[in-house]
Amino acid sequence: MPASAVKRLLNHYDRSARSLPWRSPPGRPAPDPYAVWLSEVMLQQTTVATVMPRFRRFVERWPTIEALAAAPDEEVLAEWAGLGYYARARNLIACAREVAARGGFPTTEVELRKLPGLGAYTAAAIAAIAFGQRAVVIDTNVERVVARLHGIARPIAEARSELRALADALTPNERAGDYAQAMMDLGATICRPKNPNCTACPLSSDCLAFASGTPEAFPAPKVRAERPHRHGIAWWIEQGDAVWLVRRPAKGMLGAMAALPGADWTDEPPAGPFLASVSHGFSHFTLDLHVVARPAPPDREGWWQPLATIDVAGLPTLYARAVEAVLVRRNALAA
Ligand code: ADE
C-alpha cells in the first residue's frame, strides 16, 4: 500500500475520529497512560458501547493508578462485575500494584509486555497510544482491514503471521497513536465484518477486496466449533430479606468473584425440579445453571446479602441472572 494511503487514513481520522472518554483528539498530546491501559484491558473482550459508561465510572472511583493500587480486591472485582473475563480484573489489580510500586508505567513495548496480564496487543497499544512509539497494534478488527486490503481470503487464524508482517509494513513512524486508533475505528465503523461501508472508506482505492466486488468475503469466516453445554447447581438460601452469597475460589472460572453457593459444574445435567434455570454463554461452553432451595448455609464462609442491595453485591452476570430469575418467578407466583 502506498504511503499516500496512510496519509488518507490519518486525514480521515482527523475528520471523523470517534470521541471516546479515554482518547485524546487527533493530533493532540497523548492521553494519560492509566486511561489508555484501563480502556485497552476493558476493550479486549467487550464492546466500545458497553465499555464507555463502565470506564467513566471506574476512573471516577479510582482516578489514578495509585488509587486503584490501594483499593481492596473485592471492591475492584465488584466494580468489574458484568464485564466478564474476570481474569482481566485480577490481572488489573496485580498490574496496578506493580506499576504504582515502580512509580509509573514503563514506556517501551518490551517493558510493558512484562507487566501482569499485558499481552502483545495491549503492550503495543499502550506504547503507541500513550507513548507515541511505533508499534504494530493488531487485533481482530485490524487483521480484517489488512486482510481485505491485501485480498487475503483465508481465515484469519491461518494467515496470522502473514497479516502481522503486512500490518508491520503498513505502520508509519509518525503519529503512532492516531494511526493505531484510525485502524481500529476503520475496522469498527467502516470495514465492518458484515456490510462494509466501502464508499466511505479512505483506503478503498488500494483495497483488493473492494476491487474484487465482494469485500465481505474477505477474510473467510472462522469455522466455529459447537459450544458444549455444562451444568451447574446453585443454592438459594434465604433468611429474612437476605440471600447467602460466597466468594468463588481465586483460581478458575469467575475466580474470586461473588456468587451463589453451589456444587462444582459438571458435564451431565442434574435432576430437577429447580426454582429457576438460566443459560449463560462463556467463551468455550454454555453453562446451564439450575437453582435449588436449601434451608441453611453449608458452612460459615459467606455472607447474608440483603436482596434490596443485591445489585451492588458484585455478582457476575451468570449469578445476577440466576437471582433475577428466582425473583421474577416468585413475583409471578405471588401475583
Ligand atoms: N478497541 C480497542 N482499543 C480501542 C481504542 N483505543 N479505541 C477504539 N476502539 C478500541
Side-chain angles (χ1 to χ4, degrees), residues 109-128:
E109 192 178 348
V110 171
E111 291 297 313
L112 285 161
R113 185 80 165 82
K114 295 178 187 162
L115 292 170
L118 256 84
Y121 165 80
T122 318
I126 299 172

Side-chain angles (χ1 to χ4, degrees), residues 221-260:
K222 164 156 127 187
V223 191
R224 277 196 188 276
E226 175 108 348
R227 270 198 297 205
H229 273 250
R230 305 203 69 206
H231 304 269
I233 290 277
W235 297 324
W236 184 263
I237 308 162
E238 192 173 341
Q239 197 172 94
D241 288 319
V243 65
W244 185 252
L245 297 185
V246 298
R247 193 158 292 283
R248 287 180 59 84
K251 294 240 177 323
M253 293 293 296
L254 309 179
M257 296 300 290
L260 291 170

Side-chain angles (χ1 to χ4, degrees), residues 6 10 128 132-135 170-180:
V6 168
L10 284 167
Q133 301 200 358
R134 185 188 181 282
L170 275 177
T171 306
N173 292 319
E174 307 299 318
R175 297 189 65 186
D178 284 348
Y179 172 77

Side-chain angles (χ1 to χ4, degrees), residues 267-292:
D267 293 333
E268 295 303 319
F274 309 118
L275 271 183
S277 298
V278 293
S279 280
H280 183 76
F282 288 109
S283 54
H284 293 94
F285 60 93
T286 297
L287 185 78
D288 297 330
L289 185 69
H290 308 287
V291 188
V292 176

Side-chain angles (χ1 to χ4, degrees), residues 86-154:
Y86 297 96
R88 291 186 297 172
R90 300 194 298 276
N91 281 326
L92 195 84
I93 296 168
C95 186
R97 291 182 186 153
E98 193 162 320
V99 171
R102 71 188 291 290
F105 279 95
T107 60
T108 64
E109 192 178 348
V110 171
E111 291 297 313
L112 285 161
R113 185 80 165 82
K114 295 178 187 162
L115 292 170
L118 256 84
Y121 165 80
T122 318
I126 299 172
I129 300 170
F131 300 114
Q133 301 200 358
R134 185 188 181 282
V136 183
V137 184
I138 183 159
D139 65 1
T140 344
N141 280 329
V142 175
E143 283 174 332
R144 181 175 61 256
V145 173
V146 174
R148 285 182 178 161
L149 269 172
H150 293 277
I152 292 175
R154 280 168 289 144

Side-chain angles (χ1 to χ4, degrees), residues 297-314:
D299 54 42
R300 293 153 54 87
E301 305 247 324
W303 67 94
W304 292 110
Q305 180 73 36
L307 283 166
T309 59
I310 195 81
D311 286 355
V312 294

Side-chain angles (χ1 to χ4, degrees), residues 18 20 22-23 40 43 48 121 129 139 181 184-185:
R18 288 181 290 173
L20 300 172
W22 50 85
R23 252 189 199 176
E40 291 301 342
L43 287 161
V48 166
Y121 165 80
I129 300 170
D139 65 1
Q181 296 184 96
M184 291 175 192
D185 278 14

